[in-house]
Amino acid sequence: MKSSKLALSRRIRTTPFESRVLEQGPKVFSVYNHMTLASVYRSPQEDYEHLCTHVQLWDVSVERQVEVVGPDALALVELITPRDISRCAIGQCVYAPLVDEHGGIVNDPIILRLADDRFWISIADSDVLLWLKGITYGSGMEVKVFEPDVSPLAVQGPRADELMAEVVGPEVREIKFFRFIETEIVGTPVYLARSGWSGQGGFEIYLQDSSKGIELWDAIWKKGQAFNIRAGCPNLIERLESGLMSYGSDMTLENNPIECGLERFLNLDKPAEYMSREALDKIIRNGVDKLKVNLMIEGGPQSAPRATFDVVSQDGIKVGIVTSLAYSKKHAANLAFAVVTTEFATPGCSLKVVTEKGERVAIVKDRNWK
Ligand code: THG
């Protein structure tokens, strides 16, 4: 793998910021929604320390938008999620798992309400557009469903407020968590939200014209010099510490939102019709046989598996798998997300993880690593 490269054909879409990203020389890329996403610039640890101290500019164009607009827009969005979207105000975003008629998680997007009858579904890595087009055709609902020319650019880190106050104005400090405003940067209209895939705070700028990507990047980059800005990307260590699960790694269509611990983002008795109601009712009645847990694995740094590591009980029986893992200096331990048999999912429970370097003790922790 040492010198292997990824073939960047037209199938793997470019982003409006890609030339600037490449200038900053990320060491590792991945592909997400058929588009490039940097995953390491210097090293996961160096990137992490910078993100937690300064401010970073992240090309997260891969968070593609699926726009739903028309008289039945709310009904369609309600249909695909057990979260109550009628309570989402214009100018608000909500984290809302999309769940199919069998209870399987299709995606875990943020949904933005742009108008009474207009939404953006800001998706994780799965083909929501095709699924939604099928549902729309089958239901005969009066809506348009398409992917607009929208690319989010994230500004993350403790100095994000200071930087964006310079770029846009002091009003950005008033934007509440998971709320957005409409404004202009470099003369182009953007939505500016207080959100982003880190626990360090910051904003996401929704650019609506790819041709303005470089100008937007450069404007923030220039003002960012005073704040020690660097190009960055979602960081594995930080997102484990912050408890952010990644669709495709920590949950798939094979998982339901109950076993993934997403209940707090669901309103199972919401008034609107939704396609997963019966399946989720049944899952709750019968109980789940496995649960997502946070695992703290003792010992020195352990590299993350591409596939999985097995989780075994004290008597050596396989009880689950690790789905993400990174070494945290802050906790002086490896942090992992895992899915384990329900009886072993209680904080304090002692298990073992079979790593490349042998078996290691692993303790089940709560959501905040306590
Ligand atoms: N930003 C945007 N789109 C996205 C992501 C993003 N789409 C894909 C992916 N990320 C969606 N997944 C998440 C998961 C968690 C959060 C955001 C996106 C998140 N969660 C907070 C938490 O868990 O504490 C708060 C959730 C809440 O209170 O509703 O921020 O990053 N545009």
Side-chain angles (χ1 to χ4, degrees), residues 32 63 95 108 110 122-124 177-178 197 204 206 244 265:
Y32 188 110
E63 294 164 354
Y95 177 55
D108 73 326
I110 289 176
S122 183
I123 62 174
F177 186 59
F178 269 44
W197 214 58
E204 291 182 299
Y206 291 80
L244 296 167
F265 302 113

Side-chain angles (χ1 to χ4, degrees), residues 191-202:
Y191 291 102
L192 178 63
R194 188 181 292 279
S195 56
W197 214 58
S198 84
Q200 301 308 307

Side-chain angles (χ1 to χ4, degrees), residues 68 73-74 84-94 111-120 175-182 191-193:
V68 179
L74 177 61
D84 188 349
I85 304 300
S86 71
R87 292 195 223 161
C88 178
I90 297 169
Q92 189 180 353
C93 357
V94 292
I111 299 177
L112 291 81
R113 190 166 203 170
L114 306 172
D116 274 333
D117 64 350
R118 184 169 174 236
F119 297 86
W120 279 347
I175 304 172
K176 295 205 174 75
F177 186 59
F178 269 44
R179 297 277 171 164
F180 61 86
I181 61 165
E182 272 187 85
Y191 291 102
L192 178 63

Side-chain angles (χ1 to χ4, degrees), residues 142-157:
E142 211 180 313
V143 283
K144 238 173 85 182
V145 175
F146 62 101
E147 184 181 296
D149 175 12
V150 172
S151 301
L153 182 63
V155 179
Q156 297 286 296

Side-chain angles (χ1 to χ4, degrees), residues 56-78:
Q56 294 186 345
L57 193 53
W58 296 4
D59 175 2
V60 282
S61 303
V62 299
E63 294 164 354
R64 302 313 291 165
Q65 309 304 302
V66 176
E67 180 162 336
V68 179
V69 60
D72 292 324
L74 177 61
L76 179 60
V77 176
E78 290 274 39

Side-chain angles (χ1 to χ4, degrees), residues 159-230:
R159 303 199 76 183
D161 272 62
E162 288 169 87
L163 170 56
M164 290 313 289
E166 288 283 325
V167 174
V168 174
E171 65 272 24
V172 304
R173 296 179 186 276
E174 309 306 317
I175 304 172
K176 295 205 174 75
F177 186 59
F178 269 44
R179 297 277 171 164
F180 61 86
I181 61 165
E182 272 187 85
T183 183
E184 261 189 22
I185 309 179
V186 296
T188 194
V190 297
Y191 291 102
L192 178 63
R194 188 181 292 279
S195 56
W197 214 58
S198 84
Q200 301 308 307
F203 299 92
E204 291 182 299
I205 304 161
Y206 291 80
L207 174 68
Q208 299 168 66
D209 177 355
S210 291
S211 74
K212 296 279 190 181
I214 297 302
E215 239 183 294
L216 176 63
W217 177 286
D218 288 349
I220 298 167
W221 192 254
K222 197 167 158 207
K223 295 262 197 255
Q225 294 312 305
F227 304 100
N228 197 12
I229 196 169
R230 276 190 203 165

Side-chain angles (χ1 to χ4, degrees), residues 334-356:
N334 293 282
L335 305 185
F337 296 149
V339 180
V340 302
T341 310
T342 308
E343 74 177 280
F344 299 101
T346 322
C349 189
S350 181
L351 296 166
K352 288 183 282 188
V353 170
V354 188
T355 73
E356 293 159 337

